[in-house]
Amino acid sequence: MSPAIRASDTPFAVDVEAGKTYWWCACGRSKSQPFCDGSHKGSEFEPIAWQAAESKQMWFCGCKGTANAPFCDGSHKKS
Ligand code: FES
């Protein structure tokens, strides 16, 4: 399995809306980071769906190395 592309060295702050579903880019190829734009097609990656329970700011992983997808867990600081 080829590794995900490191789309960013830092997470993305997003103001999410309650009830809305977000598709987090897992492959790192999307041009609409941190979300999927369909660029994973042909790779072994699939985006991860996450639904917001409340409206607030969330930090989505940009390095694609998080162990808590789709959110930043601080792993971007390790490499
Ligand atoms: S941006 Fe990926 S763990 Fe922080």
Side-chain angles (χ1 to χ4, degrees):
M1 180 162 161
S2 58
I5 292 170
R6 190 178 176 95
S8 170
D9 288 335
T10 52
F12 294 89
V14 178
D15 291 319
V16 300
E17 285 175 47
K20 194 171 164 189
T21 297
Y22 295 84
W23 292 86
W24 177 74
C25 165
C27 71
R29 292 170 174 78
S30 173
K31 298 283 184 276
S32 305
Q33 292 298 330
F35 303 119
C36 177
D37 71 353
S39 296
H40 61 276
K41 287 193 178 67
S43 78
E44 59 270 48
F45 291 96
E46 292 288 337
I48 292 177
W50 175 79
Q51 186 174 32
E54 55 183 314
S55 297
K56 62 177 178 176
Q57 181 174 275
M58 300 294 289
W59 292 85
F60 287 83
C61 171
C63 75
K64 311 305 176 184
T66 181
N68 185 37
F71 305 110
C72 174
D73 72 350
S75 294
H76 61 275
K77 295 182 189 140
K78 291 186 204 144
S79 55

